[in-house]
Amino acid sequence: ILFLSYGPHPFHKALAEALNSENTEIISHKQNDLKKILLYLSNVLRRKFDEYNILLCEGNFLIPGLFKYLPLRSFKKKIINISADSNLYYLKINRIKPIKKYLMLKALRNIDLFICVGEMESILLKEIFPEAKFVVVYPFIEKERYDKLLNLPIKKEFNHNILFIGNGPDWYYKGLDILVRSFIEIKKIYKDTNLYVLGSWDKKIIEKFKFEGVNFCGFDDVCKYIEKSSLYLHLGRGEAFSISTLEALLGGLPAIVSEWTGAKEVIRGIREDFVVPLDLKKIVEKVLEYFSLSDREKMDLSLKAKEMGKRFEKSIVLNDFLYKVKNYLV
């Protein structure tokens, strides 16, 4: 198996390592489109490429998927794609330019197996490509962070601070705009509220969403901000399955998420109505409702959150993954 890494994301890298894949960055985000094509072609034409039966793609299926249409045996590898990005949702809502959309839909037909990270990705996939073969897997929290979060106590004291964890540059996908707009409305009621945004965002985006009480904190100690906050709010638009939501839960922080955040299937186990539509008024109403709960009710939700977060331990997740994909690797 040859892993055509794009980033790679630590979770996707772990999946590749579990399959004993060899890693290459020939079509990673570090290359421009033309260089990706040329590097892929040059590698396919090398004798060493014939040693691989399967290409494992980190969402970057477009080039190998399209070249599979060519009548050369070297291009006819089995392709497995890790689906955990904006592609399927953006295809659904037509947020992709027509030519690229056409090419992506053609390439999708040549994928032999989709590893859908979360149930929502599989639902989107079936809408776009009903004949697709797929397995549903779930991410894990890295062991060191898992242990730290697990050791955080159940919350007993509550404020009106809100936490969000996510990286740019795609603020639309992460729902950063509606998050900040919601916060502005919440701050009209709770003057002492703060929004902590952890993760990497460039200066233009930080300036775009600047507002009193909105704090872009960069990469910092997640545990510290979980302890400083009373709610995790994640309003993704097609985000497959945010590990950050799982981390917040394991730290004992209740979460409200959008209906287009894949982690909603976990949040429903805490409270069904903590999954909200991407509607400003309804988001604000739900956050205000949460803040109005008694400390006892919030403590119960904190306990439920922690129990849900415990499920996403690395060994459990990887064993489940290997069990599900083993029949596709022959």
Side-chain angles (χ1 to χ4, degrees):
I1 302 173
L2 183 64
F3 178 39
L4 300 174
S5 65
Y6 185 75
H9 188 285
F11 170 53
H12 305 157
K13 184 179 178 184
L15 296 184
E17 289 173 349
L19 296 174
N20 297 316
S21 306
E22 185 173 331
N23 180 42
T24 178
E25 296 185 345
I26 57 173
I27 51 177
S28 79
H29 67 93
K30 299 172 186 175
Q31 324 291 354
N32 62 43
D33 289 343
L34 178 60
K35 192 169 183 182
K36 288 176 192 175
I37 293 168
L38 293 175
L39 283 170
Y40 183 73
L41 276 171
S42 65
N43 274 270
V44 168
L45 297 174
R46 290 176 183 169
R47 183 173 296 176
K48 183 172 170 36
F49 197 79
D50 290 333
E51 297 173 9
Y52 305 107
N53 302 314
I54 299 171
L55 303 179
L56 177 64
C57 297
E58 192 182 13
N60 49 354
F61 61 85
L62 184 61
I63 292 170
L66 289 174
F67 273 103
K68 199 171 176 178
Y69 283 105
L70 296 179
L72 293 175
R73 190 174 64 85
S74 296
F75 291 117
K76 303 293 186 180
K77 308 289 185 185
K78 183 182 285 189
I79 300 174
I80 298 176
N81 185 64
I82 302 171
S83 294
D85 53 32
S86 62
N87 281 328
L88 296 178
Y89 182 70
Y90 280 7
L91 283 170
K92 174 185 171 70
I93 66 170
N94 287 316
R95 197 177 165 84
I96 295 176
K97 291 179 181 178
I99 293 175
K100 187 174 181 182
K101 180 178 179 179
Y102 172 78
L103 293 174
M104 286 182 75
L105 291 173
K106 291 285 287 183
L108 280 172
R109 303 256 160 203
N110 278 336
I111 309 306
D112 298 276
L113 178 69
F114 293 84
I115 298 170
C116 293
V117 181
E119 184 183 39
M120 187 180 78
E121 279 292 284
S122 70
I123 293 169
L124 287 167
L125 177 65
K126 284 185 285 186
E127 284 183 19
I128 296 162
F129 182 15
E131 302 86 21
K133 293 181 180 178
F134 66 89
V135 295
V136 176
V137 301
Y138 295 94
F140 60 81
I141 302 169
E142 290 287 353
K143 180 168 175 26
E144 184 179 349
R145 183 168 288 186
Y146 184 98
D147 292 341
K148 285 182 179 178
L149 292 166
L150 185 62
N151 288 328
L152 288 179
I154 300 298
K155 284 192 166 292
K156 294 180 181 177
E157 296 180 2
F158 298 88
N159 53 37
H160 301 120
N161 294 337
I162 298 168
L163 175 63
F164 167 72
I165 306 168
N167 296 310
D170 194 345
W171 55 264
Y172 182 85
Y173 176 59
K174 294 292 184 179
L176 186 60
D177 56 329
I178 196 168
L179 173 70
V180 173
R181 280 161 47 214
S182 300
F183 173 76
I184 291 170
E185 295 303 310
I186 292 160
K187 196 165 181 65
K188 291 176 183 177
I189 308 300
Y190 292 100
K191 308 294 185 187
D192 62 339
T193 185
N194 288 285
L195 172 62
Y196 300 117
V197 179
L198 266 64
S200 176
W201 296 94
D202 65 41
K203 290 180 180 178
K204 285 185 180 179
I205 293 174
I206 293 172
E207 192 62 30
K208 178 182 177 72
F209 295 109
K210 189 166 78 172
F211 187 80
E212 182 187 355
V214 177
N215 304 277
F216 284 87
C217 306
F219 287 106
D220 208 333
D221 183 1
V222 172
C223 294
K224 179 173 78 174
Y225 284 92
I226 286 176
E227 289 179 319
K228 289 174 70 169
S229 306
S230 289
L231 177 68
Y232 185 77
L233 187 58
H234 201 114
L235 305 173
R237 293 186 180 94
E239 185 160 7
F241 211 101
S242 54
I243 295 176
S244 57
T245 304
L246 304 179
E247 292 175 345
L249 297 180
L250 185 58
L253 197 59
I256 293 173
V257 303
S258 74
E259 62 186 339
W260 288 109
T261 299
K264 65 184 179 181
E265 59 183 287
V266 180
I267 302 304
R268 285 198 172 111
I270 300 169
R271 249 182 75 157
E272 181 75 29
D273 62 335
F274 276 14
V275 178
V276 293
L278 285 163
D279 178 283
L280 182 66
K281 183 180 177 184
K282 291 180 179 177
I283 293 164
V284 172
E285 285 175 353
K286 191 53 60 179
V287 173
L288 295 179
E289 181 187 325
Y290 168 75
F291 282 154
S292 70
L293 296 175
S294 69
D295 283 1
R296 179 70 258 175
E297 289 171 308
K298 290 175 186 169
M299 284 172 62
D300 289 343
L301 290 170
S302 178
L303 179 60
K304 278 187 178 181
K306 204 165 194 67
E307 289 303 313
M308 286 292 181
K310 286 179 183 178
R311 300 178 182 183
F312 298 93
E313 191 175 6
K314 186 172 183 177
S315 59
I316 296 171
V317 166
L318 290 182
N319 286 336
D320 177 65
F321 163 69
L322 289 171
Y323 175 77
K324 286 177 176 175
V325 301
K326 64 181 179 181
N327 292 329
Y328 296 94
L329 301 178
V330 293

